[in-house]
Amino acid sequence: MRIDKYLWCVRYYKTRNIATEACKKGHITVNGQTVKPSREVFPTDKITLRKDQIVYKLTVLDVPQNRVGAKLVDIYRKDETPAEAFEHLDMLRQTKEYYRAKGTGRPTKKDRRDIDGFLDLDDDDEIIE
């Protein structure tokens, strides 16, 4: 089975076209070599793919005949992705939520109150230079 079809069948990519584009961009390696979408996959192959800033590492256990359900995916592959990769992605998401998006305009009333609460300024307080 082709590598792009395999990755689509085991639900790493939503469509075969997206899997094919990932192969063409060099995001997928099999046994340490960058592959084309037409490369055949066999059991015991080690696949490394980069998707959403996570480097997934998996071993092919068997080749499915067609796309399988999410509950049956573990029959056809063994996921060896380290847990640190997922923790890193979670940390990135949390840091992005903290900052305001560029170009969102002036702060809202709630933002202003949060800023004032952080600075702990009242109307009666004077700023000493």
Side-chain angles (χ1 to χ4, degrees), residues 46-57:
K46 305 274 187 199
I47 299 174
T48 305
L49 64 109
R50 186 168 190 276
K51 179 183 171 198
D52 298 331
Q53 296 183 347
I54 296 179
V55 178
Y56 293 94
K57 296 178 183 179

Side-chain angles (χ1 to χ4, degrees), residues 8 16 28 30 44 49 62 65 72 75 95 98 110:
W8 170 74
R16 273 189 67 185
I28 299 170
V30 176
T44 71
L49 64 109
D62 196 10
Q65 295 297 317
L72 302 176
I75 297 171
T95 57
Y98 175 73
K110 183 181 182 319

Side-chain angles (χ1 to χ4, degrees), residues 18-129:
I18 296 171
T20 303
E21 290 299 317
C23 289
K24 288 180 182 177
K25 290 179 182 177
H27 294 184
I28 299 170
T29 60
V30 176
N31 298 329
Q33 295 179 338
T34 305
V35 295
K36 293 182 179 180
S38 60
R39 169 114 158 34
E40 291 292 317
V41 177
F42 302 103
T44 71
D45 279 347
K46 305 274 187 199
I47 299 174
T48 305
L49 64 109
R50 186 168 190 276
K51 179 183 171 198
D52 298 331
Q53 296 183 347
I54 296 179
V55 178
Y56 293 94
K57 296 178 183 179
L58 54 124
T59 303
V60 178
L61 298 178
D62 196 10
V63 180
Q65 295 297 317
N66 51 13
R67 190 167 168 101
V68 295
K71 293 181 180 179
L72 302 176
V73 168
D74 291 331
I75 297 171
Y76 299 103
R77 58 105 174 132
K78 180 180 177 188
D79 193 3
E80 299 169 348
T81 307
E84 294 86 33
F86 296 107
E87 292 170 3
H88 183 331
L89 181 66
D90 187 41
M91 205 164 54
L92 280 174
R93 286 185 180 151
Q94 289 178 356
T95 57
K96 287 181 182 178
E97 289 175 2
Y98 175 73
Y99 294 104
R100 290 175 52 91
K102 184 176 180 179
T104 55
R106 295 171 44 185
T108 62
K109 277 186 177 181
K110 183 181 182 319
D111 292 338
R112 174 56 57 198
R113 288 184 191 125
D114 290 342
I115 292 169
D116 288 343
F118 177 72
L119 296 176
D120 199 34
L121 291 177
D122 293 328
D123 294 335
D124 299 336
D125 293 343
E126 293 182 23
I127 299 175
I128 301 172
E129 293 180 11

